[in-house]
């Protein structure tokens, strides 16, 4: 399997796992950067989970303002810095965060969209918006990792926006995250089927 074929399959393959396709602009960027196929598969899995989250938000919270397209773009590009820091695909590290934001800014992506590459692991920082929290949440729940302090921030934001009790919002969020998390093994298998090097 050639790199081009592996990358193409990572961004477009449907087979048994019907993941949303990545936006064309992101696909072009991944090809231009020579993305490792596994990174493209990861971004696609997180982007798909973000789709599920924003669809749920739209149904349950139609009056809560948030930028759906920013969340989807952020999820599709949050780890793009791993095209530079490839070792962080299979090991720890945060160098990809700042590098990813710089990569996106250098290619004309607006700061409002490029920020997710740097903020997806910084959900407790001041000024983090609902969009940032949703990208961070998608980046955890794609593999069914539950992070209580992140979820608590989302619950608090939703309770504040709706005026409903936090426990109500907790139950609603827990239900959707449990449903999405149930498919984590399939997403992990999809990601793991691609090589880590271009």
């Amino acid at each position: 399997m050639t790199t081009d074929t592996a990358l193409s399959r990572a961004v477009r393959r449907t087979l048994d796992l019907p993941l949303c396709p990545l936006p064309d602009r992101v696909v072009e960027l991944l090809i231009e950067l020579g993305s490792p196929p596994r990174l493209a598969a990861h971004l696609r899995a997180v982007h798909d989970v973000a789709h599920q989250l924003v669809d749920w938000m739209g149904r349950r919270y139609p009056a809560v303002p948030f930028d759906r397209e920013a969340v989807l773009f952020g999820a599709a590009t949050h780890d793009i810095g791993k095209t530079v820091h490839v070792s962080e695909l299979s090991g720890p590290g945060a160098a990809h965060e700042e590098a990813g934001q710089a990569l996106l800014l250098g290619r004309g992506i607006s700061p409002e969209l490029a920020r997710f590459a740097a903020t997806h692991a910084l959900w407790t920082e001041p000024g983090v918006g609902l969009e940032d929290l949703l990208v961070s949440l998608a980046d955890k729940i794609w593999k069914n990792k539950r992070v209580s302090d992140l979820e608590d921030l989302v619950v608090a934001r939703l309770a504040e926006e709706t005026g409903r009790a936090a426990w109500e919002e907790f139950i609603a969020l827990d239900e959707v995250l449990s449903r999405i998390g149930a498919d984590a093994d399939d997403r992990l298998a999809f990601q793991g089927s691609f090589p880590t090097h271009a």
Side-chain angles (χ1 to χ4, degrees):
M1 174 165 52
T2 67
T3 301
D4 288 340
T5 301
L7 182 56
S8 176
R9 287 181 182 174
V11 298
R12 295 196 171 87
R13 180 174 159 189
T14 54
L15 298 181
D16 298 332
L17 187 61
L19 297 174
C20 293
L22 287 168
D24 290 341
R25 157 169 138 173
V26 174
V27 171
E28 291 166 11
L29 188 56
L30 292 172
I31 292 168
E32 177 188 328
L33 294 170
S35 171
R38 184 166 298 172
L39 173 60
H42 170 68
L43 293 174
R44 187 166 172 206
V46 174
H47 175 258
D48 183 77
V49 167
H51 255 285
Q52 293 180 61
L53 286 173
V54 298
D55 287 350
W56 171 77
M57 287 282 299
R59 287 189 307 274
R60 179 164 170 86
Y61 305 102
V64 172
F66 75 100
D67 188 337
R68 174 189 170 92
E69 294 309 312
V71 172
L72 295 175
F73 185 85
T77 60
H78 73 282
D79 274 349
I80 203 154
K82 290 183 181 181
T83 58
V84 176
H85 298 281
V86 178
S87 65
E88 293 183 13
L89 270 173
S90 55
H96 72 277
E97 295 163 10
E98 190 174 314
Q101 185 176 28
L103 264 174
L104 293 171
L105 290 170
R107 282 167 174 72
I109 304 299
S110 72
E112 294 78 24
L113 293 177
R115 77 178 195 263
F116 297 104
T119 64
H120 68 274
L122 303 173
W123 55 79
T124 59
E125 297 293 310
V128 168
L130 180 58
E131 294 84 359
D132 303 272
L133 294 175
L134 292 171
V135 170
S136 298
L137 196 57
D139 189 35
K140 296 301 179 193
I141 204 62
W142 81 275
K143 60 183 175 183
N144 202 22
K145 182 174 183 182
R146 302 295 296 263
V147 181
S148 58
D149 64 333
L150 172 57
E151 293 176 25
D152 289 347
L153 289 170
V154 174
V155 165
R157 189 69 57 94
L158 294 175
E160 179 184 323
E161 290 285 344
T162 64
R164 291 192 287 251
W167 65 265
E168 271 187 81
E169 300 309 336
F170 172 82
I171 290 171
L173 184 65
D174 182 63
E175 285 176 0
V176 73
L177 296 184
S178 295
R179 180 181 52 76
I180 295 171
D183 294 327
D185 288 345
D186 292 337
R187 287 187 292 267
L188 285 161
F190 172 76
Q191 176 183 289
S193 70
F194 294 96
T196 57
H197 293 286

